[in-house]
Amino acid sequence: MCNDRIRYAPHLHSDAEIVTLFAGRATLLLDGAEYILEAGDFAVIFPNRLHSYRADDAVTVGKFIFSPRDLPPLTEIFETQRPQTPVIRAARLRDSGIPQLAQEILSAYADAAPAVRRAYLMLLSAKLVTLCAPEKTQDGDNTAVLRVLAYCEKSFAEPLTLDSVAHALFLSKSYISHIFSDKIGIPFRQYINRLRVDAAERLLRETDRSITDIAAAAGFSGIRTFNRAFHLNTGMSPRAYAKEHR
C-alpha cells in the first residue's frame, strides 16, 4: 500500500515488512537502534523484531507486509536470521531497478493474480535481502520484551494494567515497568493508548460505526478518555479524523 501516514507505537508481528520513502523524512526505531529514512531509502523488518516509526506530515510511504511462509525460498532466512544492514540507502539502489520495481508493484499489486503477487514479492524481497547481509541471530536476548509486547498487542482492548500483564505472563510488575521505561522508551499506559488509538483509526477509516462504539471496541473506558487520547496521538478529534478519511 502507499499512503501519507507513518506513525506507529513500538510493535512486532510475525510478518516481514518492507518500507520505502518516496518523499519526506522518517525515523525508524528497530531493536533499540535509530535510523533516519529519507526519500529513496528502503527498510527491511524481519519478523518478530521490535520496531516503530516517527515522521513529519509531508511523507509518502510505500509499505509491503507479508508472511515469509508465502515465499518458501526465503522463509528460513526471514525466520532464523537478522539483517546486518536493515536500512538500504538510495545511493546503493541507484542502478538496481528496485525503486522502479516497488513503484510497479504498488500500482499493479491490487489487481494482479495471486501467482503474480507472489512473484512480485519474491523478486523485491530477494533483491533487498541480498543487500541486507542477513546473519544467524542469537534469539533469546529480547524474549521477555517480545512476550510482553505480543500480549499487549493481542489484549489491548481489555482493561489492561501492569498487574494484569504481570500475572498473565508470570513476570514481576516492576520488571514489566522497567521494560517499558528502558527498552521501549514510553510508559506502559501511553503504549496501550497508542495501540488503542491505532485500532480506532482503522475502524474510523474502514467502518461507519459510531464513535462511541469504536471507543469501546478499541478498549477505552469512556468517550472523554478516548477523545483525549486520540487528540494527543493524532492531533485531531475522532470526528474530524472520520470526516477526513472515510
Side-chain angles (χ1 to χ4, degrees):
M1 64 179 177
C2 185
N3 58 41
D4 59 358
R5 298 178 66 81
I6 183 170
R7 186 190 61 253
Y8 299 105
H11 65 290
L12 71 161
H13 42 66
S14 59
D15 290 331
E17 181 175 321
I18 296 172
V19 169
T20 181
L21 228 59
F22 295 119
R25 182 182 173 96
T27 301
L28 164 66
L29 297 172
L30 175 62
D31 286 337
E34 181 174 295
Y35 304 87
I36 304 299
L37 301 178
E38 298 184 334
D41 293 343
F42 279 73
V44 182
I45 315 299
F46 278 37
N48 297 316
R49 293 292 139 204
L50 179 62
H51 61 289
S52 64
Y53 303 96
R54 298 193 308 267
D56 54 41
D57 293 333
V59 295
T60 305
V61 181
K63 180 179 286 188
F64 308 85
I65 299 178
F66 55 93
S67 171
R69 297 184 180 274
D70 291 339
L71 308 178
L74 297 177
T75 300
E76 184 177 356
I77 294 175
F78 274 120
E79 294 188 345
T80 65
Q81 300 185 33
R82 181 185 301 184
Q84 297 181 60
T85 311
V87 173
I88 302 150
R89 300 299 178 187
R92 292 185 65 194
L93 301 172
R94 190 164 292 125
D95 300 318
S96 68
I98 291 175
Q100 295 79 6
L101 176 62
Q103 289 274 20
E104 180 182 345
I105 295 173
L106 287 167
S107 63
Y109 190 87
D111 297 323
V116 176
R117 292 182 180 185
R118 284 194 296 273
Y120 267 139
L121 287 174
M122 182 68 206
L123 182 57
L124 180 66
S125 300
K127 285 175 173 285
L128 288 169
V129 164
T130 300
L131 295 172
C132 283
E135 61 180 357
K136 289 287 185 180
T137 181
Q138 301 296 321
D139 276 336
D141 54 344
N142 269 344
T143 300
V145 176
L146 298 180
R147 285 180 63 210
V148 169
L149 293 185
Y151 183 81
C152 292
E153 186 90 17
K154 179 183 71 173
S155 310
F156 66 83
E158 301 173 10
L160 289 185
T161 64
L162 279 172
D163 286 319
S164 67
V165 175
H167 178 77
L169 298 180
F170 302 100
L171 296 170
S172 74
K173 176 180 176 181
S174 61
Y175 181 58
I176 294 176
S177 180
H178 165 76
I179 285 176
F180 280 95
S181 62
D182 286 14
K183 299 290 186 181
I184 301 175
I186 61 174
F188 170 78
R189 180 52 52 193
Q190 184 178 337
Y191 177 76
I192 297 301
N193 279 345
R194 179 65 257 179
L195 293 178
R196 290 171 174 171
V197 168
D198 284 346
E201 287 186 75
R202 288 192 296 272
L203 291 172
L204 287 167
R205 288 194 307 268
E206 299 168 7
T207 75
D208 59 359
R209 296 171 64 176
S210 72
I211 289 176
T212 301
D213 285 347
I214 287 174
F220 289 98
S221 58
I223 193 67
R224 183 175 299 178
T225 303
F226 173 51
N227 286 337
R228 183 165 56 248
F230 196 93
H231 189 275
L232 181 64
N233 281 281
T234 68
M236 58 198 312
S237 70
R239 192 173 304 279
Y241 184 91
K243 183 177 180 180
E244 180 177 326
H245 291 90
R246 277 181 176 171

